[in-house]
Amino acid sequence: MKDNNNTIAGWVLFAGIVALGGTLAAGTYFKAERPEKMGYPIEGVVEEGAGGAEAEKPIEFYLASADPAKGAEVFKKCQACHNADQGGANGLGPNLYHVLGEPVGQGRGFAWSDALSGKGGTWNFANLSEWLANPKKFAPGTKMTFAGLSNPEDRANVIAYLNQQSPAPLPMPAAPAESTAGAAPDKAAAEAADAGAQKAENEPVLTEQQAAQGGMANVRGEGAPKVSAPGTTATPAPGLKK
């Protein structure tokens, strides 16, 4: 019986040694370095900070072509807390009829958070876009739980819609002119370079003989003796003998 126990203990010990050896061998064989960037890219999703993503333009650029009808569709995301009807009641959020031009975080019979009521100023296209993009960043501590609209076109459309929900809608801003700073100097430099290349191309090339006889002046005809018409005497140039 004792021998049997020793045999079993031996096999258990042997199995443990084999398992440990296999683990060490597998760890050595399949060892991999930690990747510099965790996760896997998803097709069609632009990574944050990726160089190929287009930089967002000022909201006025998007407002110039904003569509209030599309804004009404986007505003449906807000209707759980807000309405924009004239005389509409407040809900979890304030009524938003005639919001543009009104004081930020004031009036309307609504219990505003200190974070928003302390901002000051009036709602305009720019600050309303900032609020809709990221409420918590615009007014840290706000009671609004909505994460925001990251798409500037969606924000512009919503603002255009809200602007129409007013007895006197504000005129929509024109798109800002694209910056041309630096374009004029570059164009002038290019034109100057072209002119210099054209001049160099048309400049006569001196031979050694022409250079010895007076350089570029003789090539251009400067200082060369004037040739008289037939029957007249030519007047030699200064320094030349007949």
Side-chain angles (χ1 to χ4, degrees):
M1 186 66 179
K2 184 176 180 180
D3 292 339
N4 289 339
N5 289 337
N6 290 339
T7 302
I8 294 172
W11 279 109
V12 171
L13 179 61
F14 176 74
I17 294 173
V18 170
L20 178 61
T23 301
L24 294 175
T28 302
Y29 184 80
F30 293 105
K31 183 180 180 181
E33 297 294 334
R34 177 184 176 88
E36 295 182 3
K37 190 171 185 180
M38 303 299 290
Y40 300 91
I42 301 174
E43 185 177 356
V45 176
V46 179
E47 297 181 38
E48 184 178 356
E54 182 181 357
E56 184 174 316
K57 298 179 175 63
I59 192 61
E60 290 79 9
F61 175 86
Y62 304 98
L63 285 170
S65 58
D67 186 345
K70 292 182 179 179
E73 290 298 313
V74 179
F75 187 74
K76 290 179 179 179
K77 299 179 180 180
C78 313
Q79 289 180 337
C81 301
H82 300 275
N83 71 81
D85 303 327
Q86 185 175 8
N90 293 325
L92 292 176
N95 171 270
L96 297 179
Y97 181 78
H98 187 38
V99 65
L100 283 161
E102 290 291 299
V104 175
Q106 303 292 330
R108 298 179 179 263
F110 185 76
W112 302 93
S113 65
D114 294 338
L116 198 57
S117 62
K119 289 292 291 186
T122 59
W123 287 116
N124 55 45
F125 295 122
N127 62 15
L128 187 53
S129 174
E130 292 179 28
W131 165 255
L132 291 173
N134 191 331
K136 294 187 181 300
K137 181 178 180 181
F138 180 83
T142 178
K143 294 186 294 184
M144 185 165 174
T145 58
F146 183 62
L149 298 172
S150 60
N151 188 325
E153 293 180 353
D154 285 347
R155 296 201 304 274
N157 290 334
V158 168
I159 292 172
Y161 166 73
L162 291 174
N163 186 47
Q164 283 195 341
Q165 313 311 304
S166 168
L170 300 177
M172 299 297 285
E178 294 288 344
S179 175
T180 56
D186 291 345
K187 183 178 180 181
E191 290 177 350
D194 290 342
Q198 186 67 28
K199 182 177 179 182
E201 183 178 347
N202 296 333
E203 191 73 28
V205 179
L206 289 176
T207 64
E208 292 183 2
Q209 181 179 1
Q210 289 169 335
Q213 292 176 350
M216 188 62 71
N218 284 342
V219 176
R220 291 172 175 164
E222 300 172 4
K226 296 180 180 180
V227 179
S228 302
T232 62
T233 304
T235 304
L240 296 179
K241 295 182 180 181
K242 294 183 180 179

